[in-house]
């Protein structure tokens, strides 16, 4: 992070890495309609935010273990 800070005034957002990788896929996840989320067994979450400002600890508790695989199938 120090190397990035030394770059000066750049627009950088650090994305937390979690078990389900939710934060890496959140921008795509929140574009899916409710019907598709329900069809693939994905949870209905309130609209996402970018960049992530609120606390994110515990997000994995609300997502299925195979969140990434389900999201891939939903987008296919």
């Amino acid at each position: 992070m120090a190397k990035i800070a030394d770059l000066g005034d750049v627009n950088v957002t650090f994305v937390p890495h979690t078990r389900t990788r939710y934060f890496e896929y959140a921008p795509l996840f929140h574009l899916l309609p409710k019907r598709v989320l329900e069809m693939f067994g994905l949870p209905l979450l309130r609209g996402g935010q970018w960049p992530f400002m609120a606390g994110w600890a515990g997000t994995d508790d609300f997502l299925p273990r195979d969140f990434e695989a389900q999201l891939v199938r939903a987008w296919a």
Side-chain angles (χ1 to χ4, degrees), residues 20 31 61:
T20 59
L31 291 174
D61 296 341

Side-chain angles (χ1 to χ4, degrees), residues 3 8 11-12 16 18 23 25 27 31 33-34 36 39 42 45-46 50 52 54-55 60-61 67 69 73:
K3 287 182 181 181
N11 187 7
V12 176
T18 61
F23 293 100
Y25 294 116
L31 291 174
K34 177 183 173 187
V36 173
M39 183 184 316
L42 292 165
L45 302 175
R46 292 182 181 248
W50 182 259
F52 302 108
D60 286 340
D61 296 341
F67 172 75
R73 286 195 307 274

Side-chain angles (χ1 to χ4, degrees), residues 10-70:
V10 293
N11 187 7
V12 176
T13 301
F14 293 99
V15 178
H17 182 75
T18 61
R19 176 184 49 82
T20 59
R21 299 181 65 189
Y22 166 73
F23 293 100
E24 297 166 57
Y25 294 116
L28 293 174
F29 176 78
H30 292 288
L31 291 174
L32 290 171
K34 177 183 173 187
R35 175 183 60 77
V36 173
L37 294 174
E38 290 173 338
M39 183 184 316
F40 290 93
L42 292 165
L44 301 177
L45 302 175
R46 292 182 181 248
Q49 65 177 9
W50 182 259
F52 302 108
M53 300 287 190
W56 52 270
T59 302
D60 286 340
D61 296 341
F62 301 101
L63 299 172
R65 286 207 165 274
D66 61 344
F67 172 75
E68 184 178 2
Q70 287 179 329

